[in-house]
C-alpha cells in the first residue's frame, strides 16, 4: 500500500506551534489512509511525498524522523492506555473473586445472592474487557507501528 502526499509548502508538513513536529491533521490523514487500506501483517506500507519546494538531504532525514517520532509517540500513548486498561481488568477480576469469597459468609439468602451476582458481574466485565474491548486499540496500535516503521520516500 502506497500513501501518496503532495506538499505545497513546508507549512503543510509541520505543526503550527512547533516546526519540528508533524502537523496533527496530516498525521491523522495518513493514519486514516492506512486504516482503510486493510493492512495485514504481510502487506508493506510506504509513504511517498512529493513537494513543490526544494528539499535537501538533511531536510529529508528530518522529515522522516518527524513522521517516525509522531507515530512512535502515538504508539507509546496506546501502550500506556492498554496497560492501564489491562491493570484495571485484572484488579476488577480479583475484586470479583473477593466478593464471591465474601458471599459465602452471609447466611441471609438475599444478601448472599446479591454478593454472588456482583462478584460474577465483576469477573464477567473484566474478562470482556480483556478479550473484546481492547481490540480497537490493539488494531490502532498495530497500524501505528506499521506507520512508524514504514518506508518513506521524498521526491
Amino acid at each position: 500500500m502506497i500513501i501518496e502526499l503532495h506538499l505545497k509548502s513546508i507549512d503543510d508538513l509541520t505543526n503550527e506551534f512547533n516546526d519540528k513536529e508533524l502537523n496533527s491533521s496530516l498525521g491523522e490523514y495518513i493514519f486514516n489512509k492506512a486504516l482503510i487500506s486493510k493492512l495485514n501483517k504481510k502487506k508493506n506500507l510506504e509513504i511517498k511525498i512529493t513537494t513543490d519546494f526544494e528539499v535537501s538531504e538533511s531536510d529529508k532525514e528530518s522529515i522522516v524522523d518527524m513522521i517516525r517520532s509522531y507515530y512512535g509517540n502515538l504508539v507509546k500513548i496506546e501502550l500506556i492506555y492498554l496497560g492501564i486498561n489491562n491493570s484495571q481488568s485484572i484488579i476488577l477480576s480479583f475484586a470479583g473473586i473477593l466478593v464471591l469469597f465474601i458471599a459465602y459468609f452471609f447466611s441471609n439468602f438475599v444478601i448472599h445472592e446479591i454478593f454472588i451476582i456482583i462478584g460474577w458481574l465483576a469477573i464477567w466485565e473484566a474478562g470482556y474487557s480483556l478479550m473484546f474491548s481492547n481490540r480497537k486499540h490493539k488494531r490502532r496500535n498495530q497500524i501505528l507501528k506499521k506507520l512508524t516503521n514504514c518506508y518513506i520516500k521524498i521526491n
Side-chain angles (χ1 to χ4, degrees):
M1 160 83 195
I2 298 174
I3 299 173
E4 294 186 21
L5 303 173
H6 180 77
L7 303 176
K8 296 179 183 172
S9 71
I10 193 74
D11 295 333
D12 294 342
L13 181 70
T14 59
N15 187 318
E16 62 183 296
F17 303 109
N18 186 349
D19 61 348
K20 301 209 183 307
E21 290 182 7
L22 186 68
N23 186 340
S24 59
S25 61
L26 178 62
E28 282 300 313
Y29 172 80
I30 295 169
F31 176 78
N32 288 334
K33 284 291 196 182
L35 184 65
I36 62 172
S37 69
K38 297 181 182 176
L39 286 175
N40 57 31
K41 292 181 181 179
K42 295 180 181 179
K43 260 191 177 177
N44 290 327
L45 185 63
E46 181 180 334
I47 298 174
K48 184 178 177 183
I49 302 173
T50 56
T51 61
D52 287 344
F53 54 94
E54 190 66 32
V55 182
S56 67
E57 287 301 317
S58 64
D59 288 341
K60 286 181 183 180
E61 289 176 14
S62 65
I63 290 170
V64 170
D65 290 342
M66 188 185 315
I67 293 170
R68 291 189 196 284
S69 69
Y70 177 83
Y71 291 112
N73 288 335
L74 291 178
V75 167
K76 289 177 189 175
I77 291 168
E78 285 295 320
L79 288 175
I80 290 170
Y81 172 82
L82 288 170
I84 289 170
N85 199 21
N86 289 341
S87 299
Q88 289 174 341
S89 295
I90 291 169
I91 291 169
L92 188 59
S93 65
F94 282 127
I97 292 169
L98 181 64
V99 169
L100 285 175
F101 181 72
I102 291 171
Y104 290 103
F105 291 112
F106 289 103
S107 58
N108 185 340
F109 178 75
V110 174
I111 294 174
H112 173 77
E113 290 298 316
I114 289 173
F115 270 79
I116 287 178
I117 291 169
I118 291 172
W120 280 113
L121 184 67
I123 293 170
W124 178 268
E125 182 62 32
Y128 181 83
S129 178
L130 284 171
M131 288 187 276
F132 301 112
S133 295
N134 290 339
R135 292 179 94 192
K136 176 183 171 187
H137 290 282
K138 288 178 182 175
R139 175 71 175 144
R140 179 176 166 80
N141 197 29
Q142 178 186 21
I143 293 171
L144 291 172
K145 284 181 180 178
K146 278 200 172 279
L147 286 169
T148 302
N149 298 319
C150 73
Y151 177 72
I152 301 170
K153 183 178 180 181
I154 302 171
N155 291 333

